Amino acid sequence: MSKYHFIDIEKKWQNYWAENKTFQAQNQSDKPKYYVLDMFPYPSGAGLHVGHPLGYIASDIYARYKRHKGFNVLHPQGYDSFGLPAEQYAIQTGQHPRKTTQENIIRYREQLDKIGFSFDWSREVRTSSPDYYKWTQWIFIQLFESWYCKAHEKAFPISELVKVFSEQGNSKLNAECDSEVTTFTAEEWNDYSEKRKESILLKYRLTYLAETEVNWCPELGTVLANDEIVNGVSERGGYPVVRKKMMQWSMRITAYAQRLLDGLDTIDWPQPLKDTQSNWIGKSEGAMVTFRVVRTSEELRGAKIEVFTTRPDTIFGVSFMTLAPEHELVERITTMEQRFEVGKYIEATAKRSERERMADIKNISGVFTGAYAEHPFTGEHIPIWIGDYVLAGYGTGAVMAVPCGDQRDYDFAKHYDIPIPNIFDGVDISEEAFADKERTIIGNSDFLNGLDHKTATQKVIEALEEKGQGAGKINYRLRDAVFSRQRYWGEPFPVYYKDGMPQMIATEHLPLTLPEVEKYLPTETGAPPLGRAEVWAWDTVNNEITANHKIDHETIFPLELNTMPGWAGSSCYMFRYMDPHNPDVLASEEAMRYWGNVDLYLGGSEHATSHLLYSRFWVKFMYDRGYLLVDEPVKKLINQGMILGESAFVHRVEGENQLVSASKISGLKVQPIHADVSFVNTSNELDMEAFKNWRPEFKNAEFITEDDGTFKVTREVEKMSKSKYNVVNPDDICEQYGADTLRLYEMFLGPLEQAKPWSTAGITGVHSFLKKLWKLYHSGAEESFAVSDTAALADELKILHKTIKKVEEDIENFSFNTSVSTFMIAVNELSALKCNSREILEPLAIIIAPYAPHISEELWNKLGHSESISTVPFPQFEEKYLVESSKDYPISFNGKMRFKMKLPLDMTKDDIEAAVMAHEKTQQYLDGRTPKKVIIVPGKIVNIVG
RNA sequence: GCUGAAGUGGUGGAAUUGGUAGACACGUUGGACUUAAAAUCCAAUGCUCAUUAUGGGCGUACGGGUUCAAGUCCCGUCUUCAGUACCA
């Protein structure tokens, strides 16, 4: 084995690492720790494509580099193995999702192993394994057993809440809870039945069961969270979604809204991602204002409308109110005369899907209820309307309409001929509303006249508070997260139902394992798939699962039929890696103390409002309750860009079986067809035979070729996907060029964070670099190993140290693409010098090792070392080798670079001025004039002002 | 609409953060080696004018500005991408 046989070399070292457990991390070490994590993959049936490993390669380079730098590195990997695709595959084929998931994991592992990652596989976790989801269930129970105190901004055990209730009731309590909680005294509480107490507590628990309006996807037979819906259809499959009321588990994430927002300042995450999260949380400051409904009938006694507004300062501009069609008061306040109109309108809006409503922004629609509200200050009667521009889900589902200050209110008022009073000084509102807070001076508003936005807001809130008709309020867009899914392949809830109330299974009996079912579809009665399980009841005497027919509602109770959503298993998994086999706790305190939080996390930005937000929420909760020692999961996060596919299109003449080459299309009516990219070479020529044999419909197709007889396809950049036939498998690249080439090439493609299309066009350049590197250590036709012990030349040392310095900077800045160039330059320069000195070639192998670990292990081994290169310290660059005796100084004159001058490095400013002045060429450019000054930037450039 | 990021050769992309723009690679062209091809090696390659040669002009989306010096900083305009959207 003398030539660069990458296949043998890579296999050899991958086996070596596995056998020697080279990358197993220890939980005790004198070294500083570093935790590098990738977002773990969902093992899909399609396997990995070249886009998946991009982030893994980057994090692997960083992990390997940190090991060279003397860190104890934790770099684990696992599988997010619960999920919908496996379940849908199960529905189609009847195969158990456990089986297909297992197969997919094996396939993923094979593919990952071929790329030479330095994962510590002894710590692997799988979210679908009972040993793991035991902890997901355990966390769920802790959330159930907790409430959130707003006074302390912290979660506490529910037992403390019970104590507060029994001692002083709930009137003084400042806790996060459902909006309709009524106040009670300690005496009242103590008199309540157990069931009533339970149902009150449920309104305070951090995970709770409630009738909520949810996004129901009939096609998938399940509810979806807001972030699982894109443009009104399901993210998976693109099926329609409708609103529906259902009894669901929810997570009280809204309790943590402010802390989730504040925490963003403490973490080093990309700005766009932070912005996405803070938009999603959507904090807005304003006031709650209560409007009394004018009592025109007994029915309306005590009726009030609460609104949220960010502009309480414009309250004197209110000329009508608008309720969402779904608002609970609509039914009650609508007058007899308007009943028919209102009913018609509500029916019409209910029929329209969310999507239609969004597409129809321009159309103004609404209807008058016939009722009036009373202005808190003027007592004026304000008409109450219904309009679908008001969303039931935001604020209170009602607005005080100030047409002069809000464009939507303005348009609505214009459309229905409602007055538009102007309450701004010196502003023309005849054409449009005026919404500039900064330039606002209030007028025509009684005690607010002449005030600016800020002062007026403050003053009006005080006045409202005095009247008991309002208060300052911060509102969030963030909703509580629905946590129930009507699916089979997810974590079962550790919950059974006694007398209609949910009960937790004691934590010592976890995990509650997923039952077997015959089919993975919902039942005929519409219950979730777990409704098919025959053994799915909880025996509270023996504390075990038992058959449904034994349910007696005395000691044996039905278990929850829903399962948890995809993000349940991924919210705290980073802590399980710290101590993955611990049977007693999620991770031991010792392990958590040592590893802290994730130092570097790599993954796609598509998880911004799901996994990354929910994970932060759970971690903060676990921190509050003392189960974790940190309140943010991840210190630094990098979003790697997606690698896109370059789809190939063959064009077929419409209605004919004629296929037209790219340049012959014009003028023809053609239909593009995705062709498999493996039939196309780099100059876009199609392998016509392969295409003919691809599908029977093309067997007899006629090809209209280019004039030279070739057939060309057109290209388009799209997301890589099986259905677009543009998927490139990393295995093929590893086979043809090797894993080291794949690793280097994926980095070389461009900046890590940027999306970029995959193209093999440049891969030969990277591959030939590795061949050159190999040749540097070998010589002769036989390429025998040839490294000598002769001392290195000064030039060689300079190249080496320049390279060390640059590569170190690049890795620290995560600009892995430029260091590949740096290696290429170094190898080219050293080859030109015919360098074969061990003094150079040994450190060179180390600095390349993080990027191309297999070839460097092989070279390291040939250099006579028996240990793995991955444990060797990274070479230190030394400034002294970079220093030159003299340097070319570019000389600028009147802003233009004129010529370069060789000057000694240690020259002072005066020396340089003198040297420049003495220089013959300077005289030539100055042309007899005296320069005003000579500007010297030390070590850089000399500039003469003429 | 709002928020954020970005705009550099034929292509992917560099540029030590204000100091010789286009590193490195692909592609293209020419050459060497070959019966030939592949592989490999060498040279040229931003555009443009001119030439025997040295050279000149223009160039980092567009228009201004600051500076001895701008891809980089400031103001304005345009375009692209991403997130979000009747959020009161």
Side-chain angles (χ1 to χ4, degrees):
Chain A
M1 197 161 72
S2 48
K3 287 209 172 178
Y4 176 43
H5 289 296
F6 51 86
I7 301 233
D8 301 334
I9 293 171
E10 290 174 359
K11 189 140 198 86
K12 172 178 164 189
W13 290 104
Q14 283 161 11
N15 290 339
Y16 175 93
W17 296 328
E19 278 163 24
N20 290 278
K21 301 185 167 57
T22 310
F23 303 114
Q24 218 170 79
Q26 300 304 318
N27 276 8
Q28 273 140 6
S29 169
D30 299 334
K31 297 175 181 175
K33 69 96 190 184
Y34 201 88
Y35 187 178
V36 186
L37 184 64
D38 296 292
M39 289 187 190
F40 58 171
Y42 174 80
S44 82
L48 289 172
H49 63 63
V50 288
H52 293 114
L54 179 76
Y56 304 156
I57 294 169
S59 63
D60 195 60
I61 290 170
Y62 202 75
R64 285 174 179 271
Y65 167 77
K66 279 288 182 184
R67 288 195 194 95
H68 287 297
K69 278 288 186 182
F71 286 83
N72 183 28
V73 173
L74 177 57
H75 186 38
Q77 187 59 289
Y79 304 97
D80 187 13
S81 47
F82 269 137
L84 199 52
E87 177 160 332
Q88 289 195 310
Y89 189 73
I91 290 169
Q92 285 161 23
T93 64
Q95 289 211 53
H96 199 293
R98 191 182 297 126
K99 182 166 174 279
T100 49
T101 300
Q102 175 65 22
E103 286 165 7
N104 293 346
I105 286 177
I106 290 171
R107 169 104 184 86
Y108 262 60
R109 179 63 191 274
E110 275 172 14
Q111 288 189 292
L112 289 170
D113 281 348
K114 279 188 191 163
I115 305 172
F117 293 119
S118 63
F119 294 129
D120 177 357
W121 283 108
S122 73
R123 292 171 185 256
E124 180 193 304
V125 302
R126 298 178 186 189
T127 55
S128 61
S129 128
D131 292 344
Y132 178 85
Y133 69 65
K134 172 182 174 179
W135 296 107
T136 313
Q137 293 174 333
W138 180 84
I139 295 168
F140 176 83
I141 295 172
Q142 303 317 309
L143 282 154
F144 184 80
E145 298 296 349
S146 303
W147 63 288
Y148 196 83
C149 176
K150 286 200 262 190
H152 295 89
E153 283 291 350
K154 195 179 163 186
F156 291 97
I158 208 86
S159 58
E160 290 182 26
L161 187 68
V162 173
K163 200 166 159 233
V164 173
F165 285 169
S166 63
E167 285 171 5
Q168 44 182 293
N170 71 346
S171 58
K172 288 188 207 136
L173 190 72
N174 187 9
E176 194 72 32
C177 62
D178 289 3
S179 52
E180 80 276 16
V181 170
T182 49
T183 53
F184 50 81
T185 64
E187 293 75 44
E188 284 170 324
W189 169 263
N190 292 328
D191 283 347
Y192 287 158
S193 69
E194 276 310 304
K195 190 170 178 184
R196 180 140 188 212
K197 283 182 181 172
E198 275 297 303
S199 73
I200 290 170
L201 286 175
L202 207 47
K203 296 181 195 298
Y204 287 87
R205 296 180 189 272
L206 282 178
T207 183
Y208 59 96
L209 197 58
E211 174 108 316
T212 41
E213 187 153 284
V214 294
N215 306 300
W216 173 256
C217 180
E219 210 76 26
L220 295 173
T222 187
V223 299
L224 299 170
N226 286 340
D227 57 81
E228 289 169 309
I229 300 164
V230 179
N231 295 329
V233 296
S234 68
E235 191 184 14
R236 279 201 180 277
Y239 304 117
V241 175
V242 295
R243 310 286 299 168
K244 190 178 170 184
K245 280 214 161 178
M246 283 178 85
M247 199 52 127
Q248 298 287 325
W249 284 101
S250 286
M251 288 278 160
R252 217 179 286 284
I253 187 173
T254 44
Y256 284 85
Q258 187 60 48
R259 281 172 64 192
L260 288 168
L261 212 49
D262 293 343
L264 291 173
D265 294 334
T266 67
I267 49 182
D268 181 9
W269 288 19
Q271 198 54 45
L273 189 85
K274 287 189 183 182
D275 291 341
T276 304
Q277 287 208 349
S278 86
N279 284 341
W280 190 260
I281 296 168
K283 180 179 179 174
S284 51
E285 287 180 67
M288 290 298 273
V289 185
T290 310
F291 286 77
R292 280 195 285 265
V293 177
V294 176
R295 196 172 133 198
T296 48
S297 69
E298 204 41 39
E299 202 19 34
L300 294 179
R301 172 191 279 275
K304 298 185 279 197
I305 296 173
E306 292 237 12
V307 300
F308 173 74
T309 175
T310 53
R311 297 296 304 274
D313 54 324
T314 63
I315 194 157
F316 286 93
V318 175
S319 64
F320 62 103
M321 308 202 57
T322 317
L323 307 184
E326 299 88 347
H327 197 279
E328 51 178 11
L329 228 51
V330 170
E331 177 69 19
R332 192 168 152 204
I333 62 169
T334 305
T335 57
M336 285 311 288
E337 301 82 63
Q338 294 302 108
R339 213 146 266 262
F340 177 71
E341 283 293 314
V342 169
K344 212 168 75 180
Y345 182 72
I346 291 174
E347 204 177 308
T349 45
K351 261 194 210 150
R352 295 166 72 196
S353 66
E354 196 91 344
R355 194 170 205 191
E356 281 174 294
R357 252 166 96 163
M358 281 193 328
D360 207 15
I361 281 169
K362 294 274 136 50
N363 265 347
I364 296 161
S365 73
V367 60
F368 179 46
T369 61
Y372 291 86
E374 197 182 289
H375 192 283
F377 296 111
T378 65
E380 218 176 310
H381 288 187
I382 305 158
I384 303 170
W385 286 68
I386 297 170
D388 69 357
Y389 79 95
V390 176
L391 304 174
Y394 183 75
T396 61
V399 301
M400 56 174 230
V402 182
C404 65
D406 182 285
Q407 195 56 42
R408 288 157 303 162
D409 296 343
Y410 187 92
D411 295 340
F412 195 89
K414 270 260 146 95
H415 193 259
Y416 290 106
D417 235 355
I418 303 169
I420 304 175
N422 189 357
I423 50 133
F424 300 115
D425 265 356
V427 172
D428 173 28
I429 53 143
S430 59
E431 287 301 322
E432 56 179 7
F434 175 77
D436 190 344
K437 286 182 193 171
E438 297 301 306
R439 291 190 295 128
T440 292
I441 301 291
I442 304 287
N444 204 8
S445 295
D446 195 5
F447 62 94
L448 298 176
N449 284 342
L451 301 178
D452 61 26
H453 160 70
K454 238 180 150 174
T455 332
T457 302
Q458 212 176 339
K459 209 160 172 190
V460 78
I461 288 175
E462 279 166 24
L464 283 165
E465 276 171 357
E466 212 165 287
K467 280 177 146 314
Q469 277 195 267
K473 156 104 184 172
I474 293 167
N475 197 47
Y476 297 94
R477 200 188 75 117
L478 185 70
R479 305 285 88 195
D480 278 349
V482 176
F483 199 65
S484 297
R485 296 291 182 274
Q486 291 67 43
R487 292 178 191 160
Y488 174 74
W489 193 231
E491 297 88 349
F493 284 80
V495 172
Y496 63 91
Y497 289 89
K498 181 178 173 183
D499 200 10
M501 296 306 290
Q503 308 291 329
M504 294 296 125
I505 284 164
T507 52
E508 63 263 35
H509 305 304
L510 299 179
L512 182 73
T513 51
L514 200 56
E516 297 306 314
V517 293
E518 258 174 55
K519 279 204 263 177
Y520 305 99
L521 284 167
T523 66
E524 283 66 31
T525 57
L530 291 195
R532 293 181 181 274
E534 279 167 24
V535 183
W536 194 236
W538 189 249
D539 180 336
T540 55
V541 175
N542 300 314
N543 284 308
E544 61 185 22
I545 300 176
T546 189
N548 292 9
H549 64 81
K550 292 191 182 163
I551 292 174
D552 57 12
H553 299 283
E554 297 285 325
T555 60
I556 297 173
F557 301 95
L559 282 159
E560 168 73 53
L561 300 182
N562 287 301
T563 55
M564 299 188 194
W567 54 270
S570 57
S571 290
C572 282
Y573 78 113
M574 55 287 278
F575 297 97
R576 187 62 179 164
Y577 283 130
M578 294 173 181
D579 196 6
H581 308 296
N582 196 322
D584 304 321
V585 282
L586 176 67
S588 71
E589 196 183 322
E590 197 188 4
M592 289 196 294
R593 195 169 300 277
Y594 181 71
W595 291 113
N597 27 22
V598 176
D599 292 291
L600 177 67
Y601 196 27
L602 263 103
S605 55
E606 67 273 17
H607 298 108
T609 53
S610 50
H611 161 56
L612 290 171
L613 192 64
Y614 295 129
S615 179
R616 292 183 58 222
F617 158 45
W618 276 28
V619 168
K620 284 186 187 300
F621 160 73
M622 296 274 281
Y623 171 80
D624 281 358
R625 292 298 316 274
Y627 300 125
L628 292 178
L629 303 169
V630 294
D631 79 335
E632 284 287 346
V634 173
K635 275 192 225 159
K636 182 174 175 67
L637 183 132
I638 292 180
N639 290 130
Q640 87 273 20
M642 204 189 306
I643 290 193
L644 303 162
E646 262 197 273
S647 304
F649 290 95
V650 166
H651 297 263
R652 176 163 61 187
V653 180
E654 237 164 71
E656 309 276 341
N657 200 8
Q658 277 184 334
L659 305 173
V660 197
S661 187
S663 70
K664 304 284 179 182
I665 293 171
S666 64
L668 292 169
K669 259 205 143 178
V670 292
Q671 176 192 12
I673 302 165
H674 276 286
D676 196 309
V677 286
S678 62
F679 303 153
V680 182
N681 69 12
T682 46
S683 33
N684 294 343
E685 286 166 15
L686 180 77
D687 180 339
M688 287 181 268
E689 279 311 305
F691 188 75
K692 273 187 175 176
N693 295 327
W694 189 31
R695 285 204 232 139
E697 52 185 300
F698 304 130
K699 192 84 204 161
N700 300 312
E702 182 193 339
F703 287 89
I704 299 173
T705 61
E706 301 290 317
D707 298 334
D708 61 3
T710 62
F711 188 94
K712 299 219 169 178
V713 297
T714 60
R715 293 278 197 168
E716 212 170 290
V717 172
E718 295 181 294
K719 216 170 152 176
M720 236 183 228
S721 127
K722 225 176 164 181
S723 63
K724 296 187 174 102
Y725 301 103
N726 59 1
V727 173
V728 182
N729 189 329
D731 298 355
D732 298 342
I733 306 289
C734 286
E735 219 165 278
Q736 204 180 344
Y737 299 101
D740 284 338
T741 300
L742 176 73
R743 291 169 64 106
L744 283 167
Y745 185 59
E746 292 224 358
M747 292 300 103
F748 186 70
L749 272 177
L752 183 59
E753 304 187 80
Q754 191 175 299
K756 53 229 159 207
W758 175 266
S759 141
T760 33
I763 201 165
T764 52
V766 172
H767 187 62
S768 63
F769 154 71
L770 285 173
K771 287 197 264 185
K772 281 184 212 163
L773 176 71
W774 182 261
K775 275 193 186 151
L776 198 56
Y777 294 74
H778 298 80
S779 69
E782 282 303 304
E783 299 200 350
S784 50
F785 188 69
V787 172
S788 79
D789 287 329
T790 51
L793 305 172
D795 280 348
E796 293 169 350
L797 282 164
K798 201 164 109 187
I799 294 165
L800 175 70
H801 286 268
K802 191 174 72 180
T803 308
I804 297 170
K805 190 177 180 204
K806 180 74 165 67
V807 169
E808 207 171 312
E809 281 168 6
D810 285 345
I811 297 181
E812 297 287 3
N813 295 323
F814 304 97
S815 43
F816 301 113
N817 55 330
T818 49
S819 33
V820 180
S821 301
T822 309
F823 292 138
M824 289 181 180
I825 296 167
V827 167
N828 280 339
E829 288 178 353
L830 291 171
S831 301
L833 292 170
K834 296 200 173 8
C835 171
N836 67 350
S837 162
R838 173 178 291 271
E839 202 182 337
I840 302 295
L841 297 182
E842 236 170 45
L844 185 69
I846 302 168
I847 56 173
I848 291 177
Y851 289 80
H854 309 89
I855 191 173
S856 21
E857 285 279 19
E858 180 69 17
L859 294 171
W860 189 248
N861 186 254
K862 286 194 168 200
L863 284 160
H865 301 281
S866 56
E867 84 277 38
S868 164
I869 196 170
S870 63
T871 61
V872 177
F874 206 75
Q876 280 283 323
F877 78 86
E878 287 180 50
E879 206 67 54
K880 68 178 178 194
Y881 295 114
L882 301 178
V883 173
E884 297 163 68
S885 58
S886 68
K887 195 170 177 179
D888 274 340
Y889 284 89
I891 308 295
S892 297
F893 175 54
N894 285 353
K896 293 221 164 159
M897 214 285 290
R898 294 296 181 177
F899 53 89
K900 289 177 188 170
M901 248 173 116
K902 259 220 178 326
L903 296 169
L905 273 180
D906 55 358
M907 281 184 87
T908 65
K909 183 178 158 177
D910 290 342
D911 291 337
I912 295 172
E913 273 186 47
V916 169
M917 293 310 295
H919 197 269
E920 189 187 338
K921 265 195 171 167
T922 314
Q923 298 305 327
Q924 197 181 316
Y925 281 108
L926 285 172
D927 198 20
R929 291 166 299 171
T930 321
K932 280 184 189 143
K933 60 175 176 180
V934 180
I935 295 164
I936 299 141
V937 182
K940 286 287 175 190
I941 285 190
V942 182
N943 204 311
I944 308 152
V945 185

